[in-house]
Amino acid sequence: MSIMKKCCGLCPYSRKNTLFLHPERAAEFAYSASNPYSDFVCHKTGIIQEDENGESEGIVRGEKSLTCAGFYAMQHLINYPNRKSEIEIIPEDHFDD
């Protein structure tokens, strides 16, 4: 798994994000991170998947896509708190509840 080195300004997994995230959506993101087998593609490296009408259906992994650093950090903190991380994780930068 290739991982972004740090969270971007719009990362939904970072406390420092600049976007409002509705509480129900935040809960979905946290639930996804609690599964050690799930993945979340960074929006900067993913490919926008469109339906037949050209409407966006979301972001999918492409050949050069990377896992979101914020997602990885949260997933790691939840599932592997005593294991060394592949990237530097600053726990205060991520959701803890």
Side-chain angles (χ1 to χ4, degrees), residues 1-2 7 12-13 19-20 37 40 44-45 48-49 55 61-63 66 69-70 73 77-78 85 88 90:
M1 167 178 18
S2 298
C7 294
Y13 285 96
L19 293 176
F20 172 76
Y37 302 104
F40 189 85
K44 287 186 170 186
T45 66
I48 297 173
Q49 187 174 24
E55 297 290 321
R61 182 170 289 284
E63 196 172 304
L66 301 173
L77 290 169
I78 291 170
S85 171
E88 180 184 9
I90 302 169

Side-chain angles (χ1 to χ4, degrees), residues 56-77:
S56 175
E57 291 188 327
I59 298 174
V60 296
R61 182 170 289 284
E63 196 172 304
K64 297 182 179 183
S65 295
L66 301 173
T67 295
C68 168
F71 169 84
Y72 173 82
M74 185 176 207
Q75 186 179 51
H76 190 85
L77 290 169

Side-chain angles (χ1 to χ4, degrees), residues 38-55:
S38 64
D39 189 26
F40 189 85
V41 177
C42 174
H43 69 278
K44 287 186 170 186
T45 66
I47 297 171
I48 297 173
Q49 187 174 24
E50 297 179 344
D51 65 14
E52 59 276 352
N53 298 321
E55 297 290 321

